[in-house]
Amino acid sequence: MVKLTMIARVTDGLPLSEGLDDGRDLKDADFYKQQAKLLFKNLSKGQHEASRMSIETGPYLFHYIIEGRVCYLTLCDRSYPKKLAFQYLEDLKNEFEKVNGSQIETAARPYAFIKFDAFIQKTKKLYLDSRTQRNLAKLNDELYEVHQIMTRNVQEVLGVGEKLDQVSEMSSRLTSDTRIYADKAKDLNRQALIRKYAPVAIVIGIVLMLFWLKNKIW
């Protein structure tokens, strides 16, 4: 059974739409929505290996497809047929592109296409029971295969992003430290030059002053 549905722009992870009634029968719905947003964040950083993937999380599976810089994601029970989950996402993709395709790149605020929820809810009802004649026909459709779609664990997927974030943070810290040390080195060199040449400059200054006074007096 479909539990959650979310749509986001891949380039920046901006949420574009979601099923407003989703999560009512889902325990810890906010937790899984947060996981979905973290997945979108990872995708926006280019951390995706395939345009279609299933991700294990607790008793559920995230399924997503990426088309036209948009990610269509759903959370389903593990027992729900993967084939139906991806065909559900395909239906959403086709309608979303048809209705909102020209506005996707220019959307500037989260959930700019929240009215798409009406289509999400209508389509979700069609896929509610995997045993209906319509859905059984889709399951038997040999033209749409999902065997090659990779399945990974959510901690593994998000962990990759966390490790890359840590590396990026460490790199930024090292760059900052390098700049600090470089500035300190410049200051030390400047102080060393002052200590080295200051006495000579003072002596020369005194000699010039005495020479000037002597010329004044005479």
Side-chain angles (χ1 to χ4, degrees):
M1 180 177 175
V2 174
K3 298 292 186 180
L4 291 175
T5 305
M6 301 180 75
I7 301 172
R9 191 165 57 197
V10 174
T11 49
D12 55 7
L14 182 74
L16 300 175
S17 187
E18 71 173 58
L20 295 179
D21 290 336
D22 290 354
R24 290 185 178 181
D25 59 341
L26 173 64
K27 186 180 179 182
D28 299 325
D30 289 339
F31 171 76
Y32 290 107
K33 285 185 178 181
Q34 186 60 34
Q35 277 194 338
K37 290 176 181 178
L38 288 173
L39 289 170
F40 291 144
K41 180 183 175 183
N42 278 11
L43 291 172
S44 71
K45 297 176 182 177
Q47 297 165 18
H48 53 93
E49 301 172 0
S51 60
R52 283 160 174 72
M53 186 179 286
S54 297
I55 301 170
E56 299 171 335
T57 175
Y60 307 107
L61 279 169
F62 280 117
H63 304 287
Y64 76 71
I65 63 175
I66 298 174
E67 289 283 347
R69 297 184 179 180
V70 177
C71 179
Y72 305 85
L73 178 144
T74 187
L75 180 75
C76 302
D77 293 307
R78 285 186 182 238
S79 59
Y80 191 77
K82 182 185 285 191
K83 199 169 190 177
L84 285 183
F86 279 97
Q87 290 196 332
Y88 166 68
L89 294 175
E90 288 283 352
D91 286 354
L92 297 185
K93 174 189 73 72
N94 293 336
E95 182 68 13
F96 193 80
E97 286 180 346
K98 184 171 71 175
V99 176
N100 304 307
S102 62
Q103 306 171 61
I104 292 170
E105 290 299 322
T106 56
R109 58 184 175 83
Y111 302 105
F113 310 110
I114 199 63
K115 290 182 180 179
F116 191 71
D117 164 67
F119 184 83
I120 292 175
Q121 297 305 327
K122 182 176 70 173
T123 309
K124 180 180 172 182
K125 289 177 182 177
L126 296 176
Y127 284 87
L128 198 58
D129 187 352
S130 61
R131 296 166 296 179
T132 62
Q133 186 174 352
R134 173 186 178 277
N135 290 334
L136 287 173
K138 285 183 174 290
L139 285 171
N140 293 325
D141 183 2
E142 296 181 358
L143 296 177
Y144 193 87
E145 293 298 333
V146 295
H147 301 299
Q148 302 301 318
I149 294 177
M150 185 186 303
T151 299
R152 296 180 65 188
N153 182 271
V154 70
Q155 295 302 327
E156 180 185 359
V157 174
L158 294 181
V160 170
E162 289 170 2
K163 288 174 184 176
L164 289 175
D165 284 344
Q166 289 172 5
V167 171
S168 177
E169 183 180 347
M170 189 179 298
S171 176
S172 298
R173 195 184 304 125
L174 288 172
T175 301
S176 177
D177 290 345
T178 301
R179 287 174 183 162
I180 292 171
Y181 292 143
D183 291 339
K184 285 184 177 179
K186 288 180 181 178
D187 289 338
L188 289 173
N189 288 335
R190 195 178 300 114
Q191 291 173 16
L193 288 172
I194 291 172
R195 285 196 298 269
K196 182 176 180 180
Y197 293 106
V200 176
I202 292 171
V203 170
I204 292 174
I206 293 172
V207 171
L208 291 174
M209 180 65 73
L210 291 173
F211 183 75
W212 181 78
L213 289 172
K214 181 180 178 182
N215 288 337
K216 268 289 194 183
I217 295 172
W218 293 100

